[in-house]
């Protein structure tokens, strides 16, 4: 049994850490070079046209590699749910999978927006950028559902340690606020991501490690 469990355990743990690493590297390679919520279409297209390689690299990392890692973590949750008969954990696993699917859609749309960016005709890139941001809001709601369900499924420490569960509850609250901001393109609420994103990276890494322990 130990040999059989080693693969999924290692995969979940590695995926949690890879998710965090992909986000950190992705943000670092394009820090200050990509558009922000509230930018005009002209500014969005100009940013993409001037920093095409950085924008594509960031998209591949945060909406590609990180999404693939989230799929693996979600699969680990679904596996743990099957073994324990925990329906709440099953919901959490599917919520993570939905979040990853939304990120994949974001990746495709962002690549189209970047590759076709033209400051002289910024309409398409600007509109796609806004759709990507609104999808980010929906994705954040899915991640909030993931955190809430995983923490609820882990009562009495059956999956997460106490600090991991507390972090998950705080993440669920802050990323919901961030999600509202991105869905509405509200510059008043989107800065909440400066709090929710670090919590997300820490918590997904911790969740992957927890799934590794329980496997």
């Amino acid at each position: 049994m130990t040999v059989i469990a080693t693969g999924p355990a290692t995969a979940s743990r590695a995926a949690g850490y890879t998710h965090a690493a992909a986000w950190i590297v992705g943000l670092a390679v394009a820090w200050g070079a990509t558009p922000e919520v509230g930018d005009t279409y002209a500014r969005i297209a100009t940013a993409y046209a001037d920093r095409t390689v950085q924008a594509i690299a960031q998209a591949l990392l945060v909406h590609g590699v990180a999404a693939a890692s989230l799929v693996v973590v979600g699969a680990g949750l679904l596996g743990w749910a099957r073994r324990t008969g925990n329906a709440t954990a099953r919901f959490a696993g599917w919520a993570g999978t939905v979040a990853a699917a939304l990120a994949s859609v974001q990746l495709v749309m962002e690549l189209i927006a970047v590759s076709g960016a033209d400051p002289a005709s910024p309409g398409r890139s600007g509109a796609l950028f806004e759709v990507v941001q609104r999808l980010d809001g929906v994705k954040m709601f899915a991640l909030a559902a993931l955190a809430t369900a995983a923490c609820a499924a882990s009562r009495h420490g059956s999956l997460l340690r106490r600090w991991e569960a507390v972090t998950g509850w705080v993440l669920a609250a802050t990323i919901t606020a961030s999600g509202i901001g991105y869905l509405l393109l509200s510059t008043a609420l989107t800065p909440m991501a400066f709090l929710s994103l670090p919590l997300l990276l820490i918590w997904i890494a911790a969740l992957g490690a927890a799934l590794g322990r329980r496997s």
Side-chain angles (χ1 to χ4, degrees):
M1 290 298 294
T2 302
V3 174
I4 295 174
T6 298
T10 302
S12 296
R13 186 181 296 109
Y17 297 148
T18 301
H19 178 269
W23 264 101
I24 292 168
V25 176
L27 291 175
V29 298
W31 187 261
T34 50
E36 301 287 344
V37 171
D39 284 351
T40 63
Y41 280 13
R43 188 169 180 178
I44 292 166
T46 299
Y48 279 156
D50 290 347
R51 300 288 189 273
T52 301
V53 173
Q54 290 163 283
I56 289 176
Q58 184 181 80
L60 290 172
L61 286 164
V62 305
H63 293 148
V65 176
S69 301
L70 195 55
V71 169
V72 176
V73 173
L77 264 173
L78 290 171
W80 185 74
R82 284 193 298 271
R83 292 192 299 275
T84 60
N86 193 315
T88 308
R90 185 178 301 111
F91 176 83
W94 283 116
T97 303
V98 168
L102 289 168
S104 299
V105 175
Q106 287 180 288
L107 173 60
V108 173
M109 297 182 75
E110 196 164 10
L111 290 177
I112 294 171
V114 174
S115 61
D118 180 2
S121 181
R124 186 176 72 167
S125 291
L128 284 171
F129 173 82
E130 289 189 347
V131 174
V132 168
Q133 304 315 302
R134 292 186 192 275
L135 277 176
D136 223 8
V138 179
K139 182 180 71 180
M140 289 177 189
F141 295 150
L143 290 168
L146 162 62
T148 300
C151 291
S154 188
R155 285 172 296 182
H156 312 301
S158 57
L159 176 61
L160 300 172
R161 294 167 176 164
R162 181 175 177 81
W163 76 266
E164 294 166 341
V166 170
T167 302
W169 288 117
V170 176
L171 167 64
T174 56
I175 206 167
T176 297
S178 298
I180 294 171
Y182 277 84
L183 184 62
L184 301 179
L185 300 180
S186 168
T187 54
L189 285 175
T190 51
M192 281 294 296
F194 286 103
L195 175 59
S196 62
L197 180 57
L199 288 172
L200 174 68
L201 304 189
I202 292 169
W203 188 77
I204 292 294
L207 175 61
L211 289 167
R213 291 195 303 269
R214 299 309 178 186
S215 293

